[in-house]
Each structure stands twice: as C-alpha cells, then as structure tokens.
C-alpha cells in the first residue's frame, strides 16, 4: 500500500506552496505520466487472480499483464520508473484493520467525514497512539553535517 510508508494523515499538499514544492503529480507534464501509470497498475490488478490483494514479487503469481508492484516511483532526472515493494504497516492510515473495518461499517459516510477531517484516520488506525508512545530520548535525528 502506498500509504504504509506514511506517518501522518493526508493533508493539503498544494496550499501555500510554490509549484516546485507541490506533489509531483501536480507538476505540468507529469500528471499524464502519473495517470497513465496508475491506469496500468489498475489494469494489472483487475487481471490478477488475487485482484486488489495481489502480492508483489517475481516469485508470486502474476497477472496476465506481469508482476504487479505495490507502487511505482518515478525519477524525472533520468526518465526512469522503478517498481517498489513495501511491508504492510499495522497502523496504516489506508489499509490497517481499524480503517478497513470502519469503512465496511460506515461506507461513504466514513469517506465524507475523512475528506473533511483526515486527522481522524490517525486515531482510527492507531497511528496517533503509536506517535504518543514515542519518547523523545528514543529518537535519533541526523542532518547532512553529521559524520558517520
């Protein structure tokens, strides 16, 4: 899941940012590339025997369209797309058990509520409790001036 790598609920990534600070899919010319890649991923998932639960990896069952990556990262500097595999995160704001159960129970009402207040996802997924349990002395911070 793309969101298994996130540690926050989605927020407005466009407001008060210059064009170069916005998400890559909003940059001129890249939205077509991003949307066409998304269509190919959806097509591969729809054709996979396991559907949207398709695992990733060269040793797994493939769709008739080939291996289905969890996500695709694009690098404009060298015009390259790279498939990526991610481990499921138990507190994911998209596919965690709590979020999936709430969606099954409430359906579109849940979606409408989350669109107006995405921070609720952090509570439902357990991400908020996990963040609160982190002690400051357990966190290591590095920057480009640190020597290793």
């Amino acid at each position: 899941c793309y969101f298994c790598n996130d540690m926050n609920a989605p927020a407005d990534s466009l407001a008060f940012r210059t064009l170069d600070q916005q998400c890559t899919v909003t940059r001129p010319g890249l939205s077509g590339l991003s949307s066409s890649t998304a269509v190919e991923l959806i097509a591969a998932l729809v054709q996979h025997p396991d559907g949207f639960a398709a695992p990733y990896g060269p040793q797994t069952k493939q769709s008739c369209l080939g291996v289905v990556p969890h996500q695709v990262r694009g690098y404009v500097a060298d015009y390259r797309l790279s498939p990526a595999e991610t481990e499921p995160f138990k507190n994911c704001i998209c596919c965690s058990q709590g979020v999936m159960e709430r969606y099954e129970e409430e359906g579109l009402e849940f979606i409408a509520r989350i669109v107006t207040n995405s921070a609720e996802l952090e509570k439902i997924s357990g991400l908020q409790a996990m963040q609160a349990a982190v002690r400051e002395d357990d966190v290591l911070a590095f920057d480009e001036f640190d020597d290793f």
Side-chain angles (χ1 to χ4, degrees):
C1 168
Y2 175 84
F3 295 100
C4 280
N5 296 309
D6 286 349
M7 297 302 288
N8 308 47
D12 184 352
S13 64
L14 303 177
F16 309 111
R17 293 187 181 198
T18 61
L19 190 59
D20 63 320
Q21 294 175 324
Q22 295 177 11
C23 177
T24 52
V25 296
T26 65
R27 292 184 182 164
L30 291 182
S31 60
L33 178 63
S34 299
S35 59
S36 63
T37 302
V39 167
E40 292 298 323
L41 286 172
I42 294 292
L45 284 168
V46 168
Q47 296 299 317
H48 195 280
D50 295 332
F52 283 80
Y56 173 73
Q59 311 305 325
T60 62
K61 288 187 283 185
Q62 295 186 15
S63 148
C64 61
L65 300 174
V67 174
V68 182
H70 289 169
Q71 56 183 275
V72 176
R73 294 287 177 172
Y75 302 93
V76 178
D78 57 358
Y79 301 99
R80 178 171 48 98
L81 294 175
S82 297
E85 178 181 7
T86 58
E87 292 294 322
F89 177 43
K90 71 175 186 164
N91 295 9
C92 178
I93 57 168
C94 184
C95 68
S96 66
Q97 184 175 352
V99 172
M100 298 300 283
E101 287 174 356
R102 189 68 63 93
Y103 173 70
E104 286 178 16
E105 292 169 10
E106 300 178 26
L108 292 178
E109 290 177 17
F110 174 67
I111 300 295
R113 198 170 63 252
I114 294 305
V115 167
T116 59
N117 180 20
S118 63
E120 185 180 346
L121 285 174
E122 292 181 4
K123 184 176 181 183
I124 295 168
S125 68
L127 189 58
Q128 188 178 60
M130 185 196 82
Q131 291 171 337
V134 174
R135 296 189 336 233
E136 192 171 324
D137 55 335
D138 288 338
V139 177
L140 300 175
F142 301 100
D143 63 29
E144 67 271 15
F145 302 111
D146 289 327
D147 288 328
F148 293 101

